[in-house]
Amino acid sequence: MGDKLTQSVAQAANHLAHADRVACLTGAGISAESGIPTFRGTGGIWEGLAVEQVATPEAFAENPQLVWRFYQARRAALLPVKPNRGHAALVTMANLCPRFTLITQNVDGLHHKAGSTGVLCLHGDIWIDRCDGCGWRTRATGLCDRLGHCSACGQPLRPGVVWFGETLPQGVLERAVEACTTAQVMVVVGTSSVIQPAASLAHWAREAGATIIEVNPERTALSGDAHVVINAPAGEVLPGLVQLWASAPRRRPG
Ligand code: BJW
Ligand code: ZN
């Protein structure tokens, strides 16, 4: 590790050691080291289509079969995937902190697979099939290339994720806002911080007095407003950060 990186990790560990309320927001970057492509890193994540072209209610209305195949391909790619050292470090973080809230924009279920509990999934879960007609929903049990239809009302089934222009699952954003605006420290990992309302959480946390720590190998829309920026891949730095936090003398605010 370079001097600057070592210093920012030490700074971050020091902030965390002084906190008993911590919120963490993750994005696609935390799963990158598990082999899942990010959305905006490589320019188009499926058959040359950007997520903005398929992850909308309009795209589904126009071509439900295409959108269905997109999500089936994503599900298939997820089957062999395992959580990485970044996901594992966040499980340990939760054990180090009396009030730790993990919030994710990811729909891949890898935090859950790693052992995190109570995760607030802002953008839903790719393994849910649901019907917009009558609200019926179920957990998908396998892959099926053919578009399914609701057995209750006949509408085409869609994945249980949040598309552009849709509101976030009821109550989830509210709980995330509460966690972020009451946290003393917020850690933001692996997100370009451009998609709303998730991107605003760190700003609301900062306005409410939290110290913002960003972990990302690239500069993002948030970097200028973060108090500590750790420019490195999550799987490489989070385990060390957690170790430092665990060994730091605890001087919590009264
Ligand atoms: C690493 C790494 C490593 C690499 N370690 N890091 C206010 C202003 C303007 C627009 C809006 C607004 N409010 C709402 C909107 C509209 C819209 C929006 O935000 N548009 C933007 C284009 C501006 N938002 C919405 O529509 C949201 N709904 C909403 O607000 O409802 C109310 C409302 C409706 C209508 C109008 C107004 C209000 C819903 C957003 C849903 C987003 N859904 C998606 C798809 C989910 C399903 C699926 O997976 O297919 O969610 S889009 C996609 O982007 C996905 C992600 O969760 C999300 C965020 O992406 P993320 O995680 O940041 O990924 P990347 O690829 O961008 O970044 C990865 C980062 O990792 C990079 O920085 C790398 O450097 C880094 N990285 N390797 C650490 N090893
Ligand atoms: Zn239905």
Side-chain angles (χ1 to χ4, degrees), residues 21-109:
R21 294 188 307 278
V22 173
C24 175
L25 172 70
T26 65
I30 188 129
S31 297
E33 288 157 86
S34 291
I36 305 176
T38 59
F39 292 97
R40 292 165 190 88
T42 49
I45 60 167
W46 182 68
E47 296 187 4
L49 293 170
V51 67
E52 289 78 5
Q53 295 173 278
V54 272
T56 69
E58 292 78 16
F60 188 63
E62 194 178 312
N63 194 341
Q65 182 67 52
L66 174 91
V67 175
W68 182 257
R69 281 203 301 114
F70 168 68
Y71 283 98
Q72 288 301 308
R74 299 255 309 272
R75 284 178 179 177
L78 273 173
L79 282 177
V81 162
K82 292 191 175 66
N84 63 55
R85 283 156 48 87
H87 296 102
L90 296 184
V91 180
T92 313
M93 269 199 192
N95 295 329
L96 286 173
C97 181
R99 275 181 58 195
F100 180 83
T101 307
L102 181 55
I103 305 156
T104 189
Q105 296 167 84
N106 299 344
V107 298
D108 57 30

Side-chain angles (χ1 to χ4, degrees), residues 26-33 37-42 45 51-52 54-55 70-71 74 84 104-107 122-124 126 161-168 189-198 200 214-220 232-236:
T26 65
I30 188 129
S31 297
E33 288 157 86
T38 59
F39 292 97
R40 292 165 190 88
T42 49
I45 60 167
V51 67
E52 289 78 5
V54 272
F70 168 68
Y71 283 98
R74 299 255 309 272
N84 63 55
T104 189
Q105 296 167 84
N106 299 344
V107 298
L122 295 176
H123 295 161
I126 198 170
V161 299
V162 181
W163 287 330
F164 287 105
E166 294 186 321
T167 51
L168 276 52
V189 185
T191 173
S192 54
S193 290
V194 293
I195 298 304
Q196 297 294 349
S200 289
E214 183 183 51
V215 178
N216 196 311
E218 307 289 335
R219 200 175 162 77
T220 74
E236 285 180 25

Side-chain angles (χ1 to χ4, degrees), residues 131 133-134 136 150 152-154:
C131 169
C134 68
W136 182 84
C150 176
C153 76

Side-chain angles (χ1 to χ4, degrees), residues 110-203:
L110 288 182
H111 285 304
H112 184 76
K113 256 194 187 174
S116 287
T117 53
V119 186
L120 299 178
C121 298
L122 295 176
H123 295 161
D125 178 344
I126 198 170
W127 292 103
I128 296 291
D129 284 339
R130 68 177 166 87
C131 169
D132 274 344
C134 68
W136 182 84
R137 56 194 287 138
T138 189
R139 181 152 282 273
T141 48
L143 300 173
C144 177
D145 257 355
R146 222 162 22 92
L147 176 70
H149 288 83
C150 176
S151 53
C153 76
Q155 292 257 345
L157 291 177
R158 57 163 290 178
V161 299
V162 181
W163 287 330
F164 287 105
E166 294 186 321
T167 51
L168 276 52
Q170 205 172 7
V172 176
L173 178 64
E174 289 75 0
R175 278 186 278 158
V177 171
E178 162 78 14
C180 294
T181 54
T182 55
Q184 294 142 322
V185 177
M186 178 168 175
V187 187
V188 182
V189 185
T191 173
S192 54
S193 290
V194 293
I195 298 304
Q196 297 294 349
S200 289
L201 288 170
H203 296 282

